[in-house]
Amino acid sequence: MPYLMVNLDDTNDCRKAIKQLRSAINAPDCDRDANDSVGRRGRKGNRLAADADSPSKPQGEDVAALPLPMKLRRIKQRHIWKHLVRIANAAEDAQSLPELDLLLDLPKNKMRSLKAIMAKLENRFDLKFLRVVPDAGVDASGNPRYAMLPNVRRQILKIEAT
């Protein structure tokens, strides 16, 4: 294929170059049609969009259906694992997030950030690391106290021991 010289300041020249490149890879024409748009990933007819609809390719596995030890082994590969282990080892009773910061010697509000990351994992893996303990009350600032679920704590410590 010959090299293309494109004047990037000229929109017509850019359109011609894009059209030539798309035809070289057998993609649809680059002319825009308002009814043809499907969002950020590209337009209908785009090869990437067609590949996404292919039934032969897996669309992602359902990690929520895995047993707890397998879920935690997957989470172990992430950077948050070291914090989960520290929480499992240190916090036997219910603690608020600021109290966990002090207990684990973390920077101020670090536990709040970690809790947000945990929430994403909790949603994806359909599990709970920490739950609010209503009987434990609140700390001096009015923050609720959390406790790690016993089965999650037990599995984290078991995995970490192996």
Side-chain angles (χ1 to χ4, degrees):
M1 179 174 189
Y3 291 102
L4 298 173
M5 294 296 292
V6 180
N7 180 359
L8 297 176
D9 294 327
D10 182 8
T11 56
N12 286 332
D13 197 26
C14 290
R15 282 193 180 109
K16 287 179 186 175
I18 291 171
K19 190 173 185 175
Q20 186 173 357
L21 288 170
R22 285 185 186 242
S23 67
I25 60 170
N26 297 324
D29 196 326
C30 71
D31 293 333
R32 292 189 176 245
D33 180 3
N35 297 332
D36 206 21
S37 103
V38 292
R40 288 177 34 198
R41 296 230 180 235
R43 296 180 348 184
K44 289 180 184 174
N46 185 333
R47 243 195 255 179
L48 294 175
D51 287 346
D53 295 334
S54 172
S56 63
K57 292 188 178 182
Q59 293 296 320
E61 59 187 307
D62 183 20
V63 292
L66 295 173
L68 180 62
M70 290 182 76
K71 290 177 186 180
L72 291 174
R73 282 191 181 89
R74 293 226 179 155
I75 292 170
K76 184 178 180 180
Q77 299 169 4
R78 300 170 186 261
H79 294 287
I80 194 158
W81 180 255
K82 64 182 177 184
H83 299 291
L84 291 172
V85 170
R86 290 181 67 195
I87 293 168
N89 281 324
E92 287 290 327
D93 53 339
Q95 304 281 330
S96 68
L97 297 181
E99 290 169 343
L100 281 169
D101 282 336
L102 291 173
L103 182 68
L104 301 175
D105 197 32
L106 296 172
K108 185 178 180 178
N109 291 328
K110 178 71 172 184
M111 252 332 280
R112 186 172 291 173
S113 299
L114 292 173
K115 181 70 174 103
I117 294 167
M118 283 186 236
K120 289 180 181 179
L121 292 172
E122 288 173 343
N123 289 335
R124 179 166 182 231
F125 287 91
D126 190 31
L127 61 92
K128 281 283 193 195
F129 296 113
L130 300 174
R131 66 171 165 82
V132 174
V133 180
D135 298 340
V138 294
D139 67 1
S141 301
N143 297 311
R145 290 198 166 100
Y146 297 87
M148 184 171 273
L149 295 171
N151 59 337
V152 172
R153 176 191 309 278
R154 189 172 42 255
Q155 288 294 331
I156 287 173
L157 295 175
K158 184 177 178 180
I159 291 169
E160 191 59 24
T162 58

